[in-house]
């Protein structure tokens, strides 16, 4: 029998399908010209995908490391970071607080994409098996 149930596998793949584009969208948004229509459109796509991926991740139980409430692990803190950062960054940009928006988006990318993404490569996790077999 597989380590992963069918529902876990479906959620995991949905999570991957929403987060992988964010790796590239987020990098583009951080590195290139800000404030133009392309930035705004891609930013909305990025924020929407990040919200979906954070919500999906809350339904994925932690299979590696300690669990809280027999479900959540430390990596779920990055989901909470995302669920907080996206709306507050959106509010900041709508109020013209561009520096605050930028800080939140940089911290979100570093925390939720780079650090959390790095944790998905530890032994015992699905992506570790994919990349390091």
């Amino acid at each position: 029998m597989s380590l992963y149930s069918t529902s876990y596998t479906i959620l995991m793949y949905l999570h991957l399908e929403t987060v992988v584009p964010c790796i590239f969208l987020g990098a583009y948004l951080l590195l290139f010209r800000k404030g133009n229509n392309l930035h705004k459109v891609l930013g909305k796509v990025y924020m929407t995908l990040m919200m979906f991926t954070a919500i999906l991740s809350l339904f994925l139980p932690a299979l590696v490391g300690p669990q809280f409430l027999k479900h959540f692990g430390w990596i779920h803190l990055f989901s909470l970071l995302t669920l907080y950062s996206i709306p507050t960054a959106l509010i900041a940009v709508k109020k013209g607080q561009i520096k605050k928006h930028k800080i939140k988006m940089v911290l979100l990318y570093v925390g939720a994409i780079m650090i959390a993404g790095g944790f998905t490569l530890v032994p015992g996790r699905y992506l570790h098996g994919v990349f390091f077999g």
Side-chain angles (χ1 to χ4, degrees), residues 27-44:
Y28 178 86
L29 290 165
L30 291 174
L31 294 173
F32 293 98
R33 189 165 177 250
K34 318 291 187 272
N36 59 23
N37 284 336
L38 181 61
H39 181 87
K40 291 175 185 178
V41 169
L42 293 179
K44 288 175 186 175

Side-chain angles (χ1 to χ4, degrees), residues 6-123:
T6 303
S7 59
Y8 182 90
T9 302
I10 291 168
L11 288 171
M12 179 183 59
Y13 281 117
L14 286 172
H15 176 65
L16 285 172
E17 288 173 8
T18 56
V19 76
V20 169
C22 291
I23 297 167
F24 304 102
L25 282 171
Y28 178 86
L29 290 165
L30 291 174
L31 294 173
F32 293 98
R33 189 165 177 250
K34 318 291 187 272
N36 59 23
N37 284 336
L38 181 61
H39 181 87
K40 291 175 185 178
V41 169
L42 293 179
K44 288 175 186 175
V45 171
Y46 174 75
M47 287 183 166
T48 302
L49 287 171
M50 286 297 288
M51 288 298 283
F52 274 118
T53 205
I55 292 165
L56 284 168
S57 71
L58 293 174
F59 292 97
L60 291 165
L63 299 178
V64 176
Q67 285 186 338
F68 308 100
L69 303 174
K70 297 183 181 181
H71 180 84
F72 300 103
W74 289 106
I75 200 163
H76 287 99
L77 292 174
F78 294 103
S79 303
L80 299 177
L81 167 72
T82 302
L83 294 172
Y84 170 78
S85 296
I86 296 288
T88 57
L90 189 57
I91 291 167
V93 79
K94 289 200 179 277
K95 288 183 174 181
Q97 299 170 334
I98 304 304
K99 185 174 181 176
K100 186 175 182 180
H101 171 79
K102 181 180 179 179
I103 290 168
K104 287 180 178 289
M105 297 315 295
V106 168
L107 291 175
L108 176 68
Y109 190 84
V110 169
I113 299 291
M114 296 176 76
I115 296 173
F119 284 138
T120 67
L121 299 174
V122 301

